[in-house]
Amino acid sequence: MMTMMEKGVEHLISARKSLRVNLEKSKALGLSLEKDGPRLVEINQRLSSLEAAIRPIRAQSDALVAVVGHINHAVLPATAVLKVFDAIHGLEKSLSDPESDLPGYLSVIRRLKEALRFLGENCDMAIQWLADIVEYLEDHSVADGKFISSLKEALTYLRELHSGKDGVHFDGGLLEVALDRLENEFRRLLTENSVPLPMSTLDLPGEQACIAPSPLPVAVIKKLQTILSRSVANNRVEKCVEIYVEVRSSNVRASLQALNLDYLEISVSEFNDVQSIEGHIGNWGKHLEFAVKHLLEAEYKLCNDVFERLGLDVWMGCFAKIASQAGILAFLQFGKTVAESKKDPIKMLKLLDIFASLNKLRLDFNRLFGGAACAEIQKLTRDLIKRVIDGASELFWEVQVQVELQRQMPPPPDGSVPKLIIFITDYCNKLLGDDYKPILTQVLVIERSWKREIFQERLLFDELLNIMRGVQLNLETWSKGYKDDTLSYVFLMNNHWHLYKHLKGTKLGSLLGDSWLREHEQYKDYYPAVLMRESWAKLPALLSREGLILFSGGRATARDLVKKRLKAFNEAFDDMYKKQSNWVILDKELREKTCQLIIQTIVPVYRSYMQNYGPLVEQEGGSKYAKYTAQSLEKMLNSLFIPKPVRHGSFKVRVPSGKFNNSVADQNQTANVK
C-alpha cells in the first residue's frame, strides 16, 4: 500500500515538474510573440500591398510563365538606363564653381554629356522593349485595362523625355543650366580682364606708332579656349561669340570715349562749310590712326588667339563685328559727310588730308579688313576713297574757272588785297609743298587712270601757272574798275608787292620764275611815286610864296594872300586825308615808307611856310587858317593806310552752272596782313 502511495507521489511530482516546464515554455513563447508582434504586422501589410499589386494580373499560371521571358528580356536594358539616369542626377552635386575649378567643372559637364549620349543611344531600345511587354500583356489579357492604361501613360512620358519635346529632358535641364553657368564664366573672364587702353598711348600715333600688345593674359586666353571647345561640343559657340563681341567692342568704345568723338555724328546739314569743322578733320586722321593701329590691331590679334582653333571664318567674323560695333563705320561716314559737303576750294585741301590719312593706313586696312566678313567696311572704304578722289580732282581742275568768274566782281573799296589773291597764293603754294604735292599727284594719277588716261606732272604745273595768269588778269581788270585813279595805284601797289613778298623763295615763286618776281618787285617804288605825283605832291604848290611882300606897305596884302593860300591848302589836305584815310596798305614796311614819303613832301614845306608867314594870321585869331601845326600834320599822315581787322575766310565761290554753292565771305573782304 505504501508502495502505491509512493508511486502516486512520484507521479504527482513528475507532473508538477512537467507542468512547470510547460509554463516556462509558454512564458518564453509569450515573450517572443510580444517581441515579434510589430514585425508580423509589417509582414501582414506587405502581403496586403503585394496582393493589391498582383490583383490586376488575373491570368492563369501557364500564361504568367510565358510572360516571364518577355519581362526578363526587357528588364536588363531598362535597368541599365535607370542606373545611368540616377548617375546623371548624382552629377548635379558634383558640379563645382567654374571660377574656382574650371577643369573639374568641365570634367563633370563632359561626363554629363556622355551619360546623356548613352541615354540617347539606349533609351529608345529600352522603351521599345517595354512597349512590347505592354502590348503582350494587353493582347493576352494578362492584366486589367486600368493597369495597361497606366503603363501606356508611363511609356508616353518616357518617349517625351527621349525626344526632348516641349523642353523636357532626361536630366531635367541640368546640362543647359551647367552650360549657362559656363557661358557666364566666359563673360566674367572677358569682362574682368578687358581694360580700356590708357589714353597716354594717344601721344604715339605717327611714324613711330607702336602696336598695342594682346590685351588679355595668356592664362585667361587658354581658359577662354577651353570653354569654347566645350561650347563647340554642345553647339553653343554662337552664344560665346556674341558675348565676346559685346564685351570687346564695348571695351574699344570705352577706349575711344576720351577722344571726344561726337563730331563723327555731324551731318551735312549741321555745318555751313568745311572751314567750320576744319579742326575736326585734322583730328579725324589722328583718331582713325589711333583706332586702327592701337585698338583694332590688338582686337585682330586677340580674336586670332582666342578663336584660332575654330577656324578663320569664325575669328574673322568675330573681329568684323567688333570693328563695326566699336566705331570704324562712324569714322568712314564722317569722311563721306565731308566729301558730300558744299563745294569750296579750301575743301580740296581737306579732301587731300582725308586721302592722306586713308592712304597711310592702306596696308593696315587691307590686312585687318581684307576678309569676306568685312565686306561692309570694304565697301564703305572704297566708296569714300572714290568720293574723295573725284571731289578733290573736280575742285582742282575748276579753280581756274572760279578765278575767272571772280573777275566780274568789284574790286575792294579800300584798295587792299582781295581775299582771292591771298587765298590763291597760299593755296597754290600748299599744293606745291611737300605735304600736299605727292598726295595731289597720286590723286590725279588715280583719277586719270579711271578715265584710261595718263597723268604727267607737267599737267599739274601748267594748271597752277594758268591759275596765276588768271590772277594777273583779275588784277588788271579790277584796277580799271576804280573811278579814282589814285586808289587804283594803291590797289596795284598792294597786290604787286603782296605777290612778290609772299611768293619769293617759295616753290610757286620758283615755278613762276625770277623775271616774273622782279616784274612785281619793281612796282614797290613805282606806285608810291605815282601816288605822290597824282595826289599829295600837288599840295605844296598851294603854299606859294609868290607876291608875299612883308614891308609895311604890303603887309595887309600879304596877310590876305596867306589866308587864302592856307585856306586852299587846308581844304585840299582835309579832302585828300578824308578820302585816303579809308584806304589801306597791308604791308607794314610799305605803309610806313609811303607815309614817310608823303610827310617828307608835305611837312617841311608847311613848317617853313608857317615859320615865315604864320605870324601874319596868328595875330588875328589865326586858328581858322593856321589849322594844323607841323607836328599834328605829321601825326595825321602817319595814321594813314592802317588796315582794319577783319575775319579770315575763303573767297566767295561763284556759281556758273549750279555746280557750286556760296562759301564763307565775299572776295572783296580782306585779311589783316602786316
Side-chain angles (χ1 to χ4, degrees), residues 403-412 418 469-483 488 491-492 496:
V403 170
E404 293 175 1
L405 290 170
Q406 293 291 321
R407 203 168 295 156
Q408 59 187 282
M409 300 292 291
R469 292 189 189 101
V471 167
Q472 281 192 281
L473 287 175
N474 282 20
L475 291 179
E476 294 173 7
T477 302
W478 287 331
S479 67
K480 298 174 182 177
Y482 291 106
K483 295 180 179 179
S488 71
F491 172 78
L492 291 169
H496 284 295

Side-chain angles (χ1 to χ4, degrees), residues 407-573:
R407 203 168 295 156
Q408 59 187 282
M409 300 292 291
D414 57 2
S416 60
V417 179
K419 195 173 292 284
L420 171 70
I421 306 301
I422 297 171
F423 174 81
I424 288 296
T425 52
D426 180 63
Y427 178 79
C428 292
N429 258 326
K430 285 183 177 179
L431 293 182
L432 286 172
D434 295 336
D435 291 336
Y436 284 110
K437 183 175 176 289
I439 303 170
L440 177 58
T441 301
Q442 187 176 358
V443 165
L444 296 177
V445 167
I446 296 173
E447 185 256 347
R448 285 299 174 100
S449 69
W450 289 346
K451 299 178 180 179
R452 300 184 181 277
E453 299 176 2
I454 298 176
F455 176 81
Q456 296 179 344
E457 190 175 51
R458 189 67 225 172
L459 293 174
L460 171 61
F461 296 148
D462 289 344
E463 187 65 19
L464 293 176
L465 289 173
N466 288 334
I467 291 172
M468 293 307 299
R469 292 189 189 101
V471 167
Q472 281 192 281
L473 287 175
N474 282 20
L475 291 179
E476 294 173 7
T477 302
W478 287 331
S479 67
K480 298 174 182 177
Y482 291 106
K483 295 180 179 179
D484 189 330
D485 290 341
T486 309
L487 179 56
S488 71
Y489 303 146
V490 174
F491 172 78
L492 291 169
M493 179 201 317
N494 272 316
N495 285 274
H496 284 295
W497 181 243
H498 175 85
L499 290 174
Y500 171 77
K501 182 178 179 181
H502 288 83
L503 295 183
K504 181 183 179 182
T506 66
K507 293 190 176 182
L508 180 58
S510 299
L511 179 64
L512 292 167
D514 291 339
S515 60
W516 188 93
L517 291 172
R518 284 194 299 271
E519 180 182 347
H520 289 278
E521 181 186 19
Q522 68 182 357
Y523 293 118
K524 176 183 179 182
D525 297 322
Y526 173 75
Y527 281 113
V530 174
L531 172 66
M532 288 299 305
R533 185 181 68 239
E534 298 298 327
S535 59
W536 296 102
K538 296 178 180 180
L539 266 62
L542 298 177
L543 298 177
S544 172
R545 302 188 181 207
E546 183 180 353
L548 297 179
I549 302 173
L550 298 182
F551 56 85
S552 59
R555 195 172 186 85
T557 303
R559 182 183 298 111
D560 291 340
L561 286 175
V562 169
K563 289 180 180 179
K564 181 178 179 182
R565 290 170 183 174
L566 281 175
K567 181 180 179 182
F569 174 86
N570 290 338
E571 290 176 351
F573 178 87

Side-chain angles (χ1 to χ4, degrees), residues 393-409:
S393 301
E394 183 180 6
L395 285 168
F396 175 72
W397 297 116
E398 290 184 355
V399 169
Q400 183 181 352
V401 176
Q402 289 301 310
V403 170
E404 293 175 1
L405 290 170
Q406 293 291 321
R407 203 168 295 156
Q408 59 187 282
M409 300 292 291

Side-chain angles (χ1 to χ4, degrees), residues 184-198 213-218 220-221 224 240-257 295 298-299 302-303 306-307 318 322:
N184 290 337
E185 174 64 8
F186 187 84
R187 180 186 292 275
R188 186 194 68 79
L189 287 170
L190 278 173
T191 303
E192 292 185 1
N193 292 279
S194 295
V195 181
L197 193 64
S214 177
L216 292 183
V218 174
V220 173
I221 292 176
L224 294 175
C240 285
V241 170
E242 180 182 330
I243 292 171
Y244 186 90
V245 170
E246 176 190 340
V247 174
R248 294 306 302 177
S249 60
S250 175
N251 189 67
V252 175
R253 289 196 300 272
S255 298
L256 292 172
Q257 281 181 352
L295 300 179
E299 295 304 322
L302 185 60
C303 280
V306 174
F307 295 97
C318 188
I322 291 173

Side-chain angles (χ1 to χ4, degrees), residues 135-265:
E135 184 178 354
Y136 182 89
L137 293 175
E138 185 177 19
D139 291 345
H140 294 80
S141 301
V142 176
D144 64 16
K146 185 177 180 180
F147 181 70
I148 297 296
S149 177
S150 177
L151 290 176
K152 286 183 177 180
E153 289 178 2
L155 282 173
T156 300
Y157 183 68
L158 283 174
R159 289 191 177 97
E160 290 176 354
L161 286 174
H162 180 56
S163 65
K165 184 179 180 182
D166 298 328
V168 180
H169 301 282
F170 280 122
D171 63 347
L174 180 60
L175 180 61
E176 294 297 319
V177 172
L179 291 173
D180 287 343
R181 290 175 63 187
L182 191 62
E183 289 163 358
N184 290 337
E185 174 64 8
F186 187 84
R187 180 186 292 275
R188 186 194 68 79
L189 287 170
L190 278 173
T191 303
E192 292 185 1
N193 292 279
S194 295
V195 181
L197 193 64
M199 285 301 103
S200 58
T201 313
L202 184 58
D203 299 332
L204 297 178
E207 295 300 323
Q208 303 299 323
C210 68
I211 302 302
S214 177
L216 292 183
V218 174
V220 173
I221 292 176
K222 289 183 177 179
K223 287 183 179 181
L224 294 175
Q225 291 174 334
T226 304
I227 294 174
L228 283 170
S229 298
R230 183 49 47 194
S231 297
V232 170
N234 289 276
N235 298 319
R236 298 266 294 232
V237 71
E238 291 82 4
K239 181 63 177 178
C240 285
V241 170
E242 180 182 330
I243 292 171
Y244 186 90
V245 170
E246 176 190 340
V247 174
R248 294 306 302 177
S249 60
S250 175
N251 189 67
V252 175
R253 289 196 300 272
S255 298
L256 292 172
Q257 281 181 352
L259 302 182
N260 189 19
L261 299 179
D262 293 343
Y263 68 87
L264 295 180
E265 305 300 324

